[in-house]
Amino acid sequence: MSSISRVYRNETLSVDERVNSLLEQMTLDEKIAQLGGVWVTDLLDENFEFSEAKASTKLAHGIGHITRVGGASMLPPQKSAALANRIQRYLAEQTRLGIPAIVHEESCAGYLANGATSFPQAIGMAATWEPELITSVTNVIRQQMRSVGAHHTLAPVLDVARDPRWGRVEETFGEDPYLIASIGVAYIKGIQGKNLNSGIVATGKHFLGYGWSEGGMNWAPAHIPERELREIFLFPFMAAIKEGRVASIMNAYQELDGIPSGSSKELMVNLLREELGFDGVVVSDYFTLDMFVQYHRIARTKAEAAKYGLEAGIDVELPAHDVYGEPLYQAIEQGVIDVKLIDAAVQRLLKMKFELGLFETPYVDEQQTITIFNDQEAVRLSRQVAEKSIVLLKNDGILPLSPDLKTIAIIGPSANSIRFLQGDYHYPSHYADIVLAPNTATEAPVPSFTNRNLDLEQHFPPSTTVLEGIKQIVSAHTEVLYEQGCDITGEDTSRFEQAIKVAKAADVAIVVVGDKSGLSKDCTSGESIDRATLGLPGVQQQLVEAVYSSGTPTIVVLINGRPLSISWIHDHVSAIVEAWLPAQEGGHAVAGVLFGKVNPGGKLPISIPRHVGQVPVYYNHKPSGGRTHWQGDYIDLPTSPLYPFGHGLSYTTFAYSDLVISPPKVDAQGIVQISCKVTNTGNLAGDEVVQLYLNDTFASVTRPVKMLKGFKRITLEPNESKTLNFKLSVAHLGFYDRKMCYVVEPGEIAVMIGSSSTDIRLQGSFEIVGTTTEVEPVFVTPVEVL
């Protein structure tokens, strides 16, 4: 080959010119190298140091991605940054073209790496109903990731979660497409920043319909008709692309109508790229391409799987080269793959590398990580998010507690554990069970862990348990009694007697129960941890019953990843606090709510069923849904959820008034101003989430009984009022008609404003006039607070 032209190093040229200059000089080996990744641990020797010998094999022709430099190595930030620099230096100096690699990591609820700030799990972020706060969170994540040489995160999850049996519900933003879109776009804007030159590539996942599977089972088929697929499940992705400018998309694992998503040209090319105009990079979910052979059985060989992947627009195989390795060469030799598909994929990836500024600044300042990772403002932000994510499900008046109580009993397996505050993609819970019990986790990503005598206690971020949080908040003369009572799982009730004894000796008993989130079979929530029942795991329900039987007023705190059926608890105990998986500051946040330092204002992003037999139960069902004709309810249970979408109590009260809808008549291109006044009528300052729901009363196809189309979280002092003005685009009422055209039809629109999807305080209507009109979807309803 002729000498290398360095035109692609010229910063004054456009990105496209630089990409084309580089691409035309690349050999087939160098192109294919860009289409995959390599686990960082495959570049390390037995001492976990960078190995030039291994690199000379794995990186000989360059590489597209390096998988989890920080997350998989478990190195502290400064060493992780140094390792990233060492890898980039090898690529710059020891490969022909010197193409830098993209380092991808996980950040569902904070950068998944040693020393990073952990934030409440995604379902908790959604419970804040405060998108601006989530942008602040991802600003922190972006800065921490960039400082150690990371460039691409495999987040956020934009799946609509309607089935709490599915283990990954905790990673989602809930059941409603509008709420998911709002939180998801906020996440993306913070993580990507003003431009990728200083940002982190966000990945919208999983495209498409992954969370609506048979039986709530991971990777199982989804049965979603096209109209529902587009109106419900596609909506958050459309918002991410159109509003958030998300730079990367990841395919879903499951199949739709016999076609695995990652192999679907109809989904990944026709819909995603051509119809939605997505021009970024599509990365495969881990092991997707091999699944075409081993799991879905649509390909007899990996070479055939490579053809499926490239034709469906999968640009990069993650976590490492496999199908896009030797099998891809075989497919090329057999003439079954058009090399132009490879060029197109490489072109998109190179464009991203230039946009990230990797050719100019492949290295990071290793010393700077100390300052960025020790930022106490990030810790305070984690606490703020945890506080705002807590949902008060029930309160008979017992809360808030006085910090001057004489004796308090703290009981339960989640009360004195920092491990149980973490979700499945928190660090180090993501790896904890693999380290401690490597045979319990399938496809353990880093088997090398088993040879490293890791002290996991040293890997948790500084965290506060609920027990410790309470001890720090109560008065000096308050006696705090503690008894674990039982484990998260298992049938051992031998400690119940001591738990009852402790409860009887106290003025109030706080029982802290919930999930263990992670990836291994001894977990109760998380990826691949699907359940057929939704009660509290193990004997925790019986523990609550035993404590209640003591006669002491009982409060239940839930530390859980999925909605749990807690009907008995709801009927008996004095108060229930939903704290989700609140991360490192969770203990402080829970204690603050229990003792009135924090007035809870979180709202449910997902309905909580009474019983697993109700599943699916969600608020935006069709007119014929949510009931059984002609009885209405089941013969043994109501059809309504135990707690509805949007529900959440406060220590104060709010009055809604002065609904104004203007104009009363509007055409399909118009804007409707919907305003109301909200007043704090209680004695404490508090937050309220004002929720706007709409219903198209009659349409040519059935429409949901309610659709969330706007919300705003506000803070009000006692007796303070604020007026909210929702600027609603009529295009929000668009839907796919019988010809599958996205239209707005004339007719009456019911307007509902309230404190939850069932607690509607104000009602009105407006009329859409004119003719049926095709419109473009809109994703945001601006809210002005006066």
Side-chain angles (χ1 to χ4, degrees):
M1 180 172 285
S2 61
S3 62
I4 301 170
S5 168
R6 299 293 178 180
V7 169
Y8 65 90
R9 294 284 183 182
N10 187 344
E11 297 179 49
T12 66
L13 298 178
S14 69
V15 168
D16 287 341
E17 288 175 312
R18 299 175 74 182
V19 168
N20 291 336
S21 171
L22 179 53
L23 184 63
E24 67 184 11
Q25 300 183 73
M26 296 176 72
T27 65
L28 181 61
D29 287 337
E30 289 167 335
K31 291 176 181 178
I32 290 177
Q34 292 297 313
L35 299 184
V38 59
W39 277 103
V40 69
T41 47
D42 285 341
L43 301 175
L44 306 178
D45 62 21
E46 62 275 6
N47 297 316
F48 252 59
E49 298 289 340
F50 180 77
S51 168
E52 289 221 10
K54 290 186 176 181
S56 66
T57 299
K58 298 288 185 178
L59 306 180
H61 302 293
I63 199 72
H65 275 235
I66 305 293
T67 296
R68 302 197 198 180
V69 169
S73 71
M74 301 183 84
L75 291 171
Q78 196 169 358
K79 291 185 177 180
S80 174
L83 177 56
N85 281 345
R86 184 68 187 85
I87 293 170
Q88 298 288 18
R89 187 170 295 109
Y90 183 91
L91 290 168
E93 298 174 358
Q94 302 297 321
T95 63
R96 191 177 74 90
L97 293 171
I99 302 173
I102 290 176
V103 174
H104 80 256
E105 301 277 4
E106 298 279 3
S107 69
C108 181
Y111 174 31
L112 195 161
N114 193 346
T117 307
S118 68
F119 293 93
Q121 178 62 298
I123 195 70
M125 291 189 200
T128 69
W129 288 61
E130 191 167 349
E132 301 84 359
L133 186 63
I134 306 312
T135 297
S136 297
V137 167
T138 50
N139 273 325
V140 170
I141 298 172
R142 171 173 51 83
Q143 292 165 14
Q144 292 185 351
M145 291 182 69
R146 264 288 182 169
S147 75
V148 294
H151 318 104
H152 188 144
T153 179
L154 305 185
V157 172
L158 300 175
D159 296 310
V160 175
R162 286 176 163 179
D163 192 336
R165 294 173 298 179
W166 186 47
R168 301 191 79 170
V169 164
E170 66 176 70
E171 299 174 41
T172 76
F173 298 133
E175 74 178 47
D176 178 77
Y178 184 86
L179 178 62
I180 296 166
S182 300
I183 301 293
V185 168
Y187 186 107
I188 292 163
K189 287 184 175 179
I191 205 79
Q192 292 192 168
K194 294 181 179 179
N195 57 67
L196 290 185
N197 193 263
S198 58
I200 297 290
V201 171
T203 306
K205 65 184 190 183
H206 307 81
F207 201 84
L208 186 65
Y210 178 39
W212 194 222
S213 60
E214 289 180 356
M217 294 182 290
N218 204 37
W219 296 11
H223 305 284
I224 310 172
E226 185 180 2
R227 182 175 286 102
E228 186 177 16
L229 185 72
R230 285 172 169 269
E231 292 183 354
I232 301 297
F233 298 92
L234 181 62
F235 185 86
F237 288 92
M238 292 178 68
I241 293 165
K242 303 292 187 180
E243 290 286 329
R245 306 303 303 169
V246 68
S248 181
I249 291 288
M250 176 182 282
N251 68 278
Y253 282 123
Q254 99 296 342
E255 67 170 72
L256 281 168
D257 196 23
I259 310 296
S261 295
S263 72
S264 174
K265 184 177 180 180
E266 295 80 6
L267 276 183
M268 308 303 295
V269 178
N270 299 353
L271 177 57
L272 177 62
R273 292 204 183 276
E274 295 175 1
E275 184 176 334
L276 299 186
F278 176 72
D279 60 359
V281 172
V282 173
V283 296
S284 79
D285 206 341
Y286 284 16
F287 317 112
T288 286
L289 301 181
D290 182 59
M291 286 172 59
F292 299 161
V293 181
Q294 305 296 335
Y295 194 77
H296 292 298
R297 301 177 67 184
I298 61 169
R300 290 181 174 83
T301 66
K302 291 187 177 185
E304 190 177 351
K307 182 176 187 290
Y308 272 124
L310 281 169
E311 290 184 345
I314 302 287
D315 296 319
V316 181
E317 180 181 21
L318 299 182
H321 271 294
D322 177 17
V323 171
Y324 280 0
E326 185 58 34
L328 179 53
Y329 284 103
Q330 295 171 9
I332 294 169
E333 290 173 0
Q334 294 165 7
V336 298
I337 285 182
D338 186 345
V339 179
K340 290 181 180 178
L341 292 173
I342 294 174
D343 286 349
V346 175
Q347 190 171 37
R348 286 189 286 263
L349 184 62
L350 292 178
K351 181 180 178 182
M352 178 172 284
K353 290 187 175 186
F354 280 112
E355 290 175 338
L356 284 164
L358 295 185
F359 286 85
E360 287 70 53
T361 55
Y363 311 118
V364 295
D365 181 351
E366 298 165 21
Q367 301 303 317
Q368 189 183 22
T369 62
I370 298 171
T371 301
I372 291 175
F373 275 74
N374 288 337
D375 183 7
Q376 289 305 300
E377 285 301 316
V379 176
R380 282 188 281 272
L381 179 61
S382 178
R383 181 167 176 173
Q384 182 184 15
V385 178
E387 291 171 347
K388 290 195 170 191
S389 72
I390 291 175
V391 181
L392 181 59
L393 295 178
K394 177 186 177 181
N395 185 20
D396 67 2
I398 192 173
L399 294 178
L401 298 171
S402 168
D404 294 319
L405 285 171
K406 182 179 178 181
T407 308
I408 300 171
I410 313 298
I411 299 166
S414 301
N416 195 32
S417 168
I418 61 173
R419 168 68 177 88
F420 298 156
L421 299 176
Q422 293 201 330
D424 64 344
Y425 275 80
H426 275 121
Y427 179 87
S429 65
H430 188 72
Y431 293 127
D433 308 302
I434 296 171
V435 176
L436 297 176
N439 293 327
T440 67
T442 60
E443 292 167 341
V446 191
S448 308
F449 281 164
T450 58
N451 300 321
R452 302 175 61 199
N453 299 314
L454 292 174
D455 180 1
L456 278 176
E457 289 297 319
Q458 301 302 313
H459 280 257
F460 282 92
S463 303
T464 302
T465 67
V466 173
L467 175 62
E468 186 58 33
I470 290 172
K471 285 182 175 180
Q472 292 180 24
I473 212 169
V474 297
S475 67
H477 62 263
T478 300
E479 184 179 11
V480 178
L481 308 175
Y482 166 68
E483 172 57 45
Q484 181 175 326
C486 67
D487 296 323
I488 292 287
T489 57
E491 303 299 320
D492 181 14
T493 61
S494 62
R495 289 165 287 183
F496 279 19
E497 184 176 347
Q498 183 60 27
I500 295 170
K501 181 180 179 181
V502 166
K504 286 182 175 180
D507 299 312
V508 65
I510 301 170
V511 188
V512 190
V513 290
D515 280 317
K516 177 183 179 182
S517 176
L519 301 183
S520 66
K521 285 186 177 180
D522 70 337
C523 293
T524 65
S525 180
E527 184 174 2
S528 82
I529 312 300
D530 310 318
R531 291 183 60 190
T533 60
L534 291 177
L536 278 166
V539 294
Q540 294 180 87
Q541 168 84 27
Q542 293 94 307
L543 175 64
V544 175
E545 294 175 10
V547 172
Y548 175 80
S549 72
S550 71
T552 300
T554 303
I555 298 164
V556 170
V557 176
L558 298 170
I559 310 290
N560 57 297
R562 54 157 55 90
L564 297 171
S565 298
I566 52 170
S567 292
W568 186 94
I569 294 174
H570 166 80
D571 291 341
H572 291 83
V573 306
S574 298
I576 305 172
V577 173
E578 173 61 83
W580 309 108
L581 298 163
Q584 65 184 80
E585 291 294 298
H588 288 307
V590 170
V593 166
L594 291 174
F595 290 88
K597 299 293 184 182
V598 175
N599 191 347
K603 301 283 187 176
L604 289 178
I606 187 169
S607 304
I608 296 181
R610 301 173 187 274
H611 189 277
V612 70
Q614 289 181 295
V615 173
V617 56
Y618 48 91
Y619 89 94
N620 54 347
H621 56 77
K622 295 297 184 69
S624 60
R627 59 177 175 162
T628 176
H629 187 71
W630 59 91
Q631 301 291 352
D633 286 328
Y634 296 109
I635 62 168
D636 50 355
L637 277 178
T639 55
S640 60
L642 181 64
Y643 299 108
F645 174 80
H647 170 74
L649 304 177
S650 172
Y651 296 151
T652 190
T653 54
F654 301 96
Y656 288 62
S657 64
D658 300 354
L659 175 65
V660 178
I661 302 172
S662 178
K665 294 184 178 182
V666 64
D667 64 24
Q669 307 297 334
I671 301 290
V672 179
Q673 308 272 352
I674 303 172
S675 66
C676 69
K677 184 168 75 173
V678 181
T679 303
N680 183 343
T681 54
N683 299 318
L684 296 172
D687 285 8
E688 174 67 324
V689 179
V690 183
Q691 303 164 41
L692 170 66
Y693 296 91
L694 303 177
N695 168 241
D696 191 343
T697 56
F698 291 94
S700 60
V701 297
T702 61
R703 305 301 298 137
V705 295
K706 291 187 184 79
M707 299 176 290
L708 180 72
K709 290 299 180 181
F711 63 87
K712 185 67 176 179
R713 183 168 181 154
I714 58 173
T715 301
L716 293 171
E717 296 295 325
N719 300 314
E720 182 184 10
S721 297
K722 289 181 179 178
T723 296
L724 287 78
N725 185 34
F726 296 87
K727 298 180 180 181
L728 176 76
S729 170
V730 176
H732 266 303
L733 280 301
F735 61 87
Y736 289 91
D737 67 8
R738 294 191 178 206
K739 295 179 180 179
M740 288 306 292
C741 297
Y742 195 75
V743 302
V744 167
E745 290 182 348
E748 183 186 32
I749 303 300
V751 174
M752 296 158 277
I753 295 180
S755 187
S756 82
S757 59
T758 60
D759 185 5
I760 301 300
R761 308 292 184 87
L762 300 171
Q763 297 189 61
S765 66
F766 64 88
E767 183 182 356
I768 302 174
V769 297
T771 59
T772 298
T773 305
E774 288 197 43
V775 297
E776 291 295 321
V778 293
F779 310 102
V780 178
T781 300
V783 186
E784 184 181 18
V785 181
L786 304 174

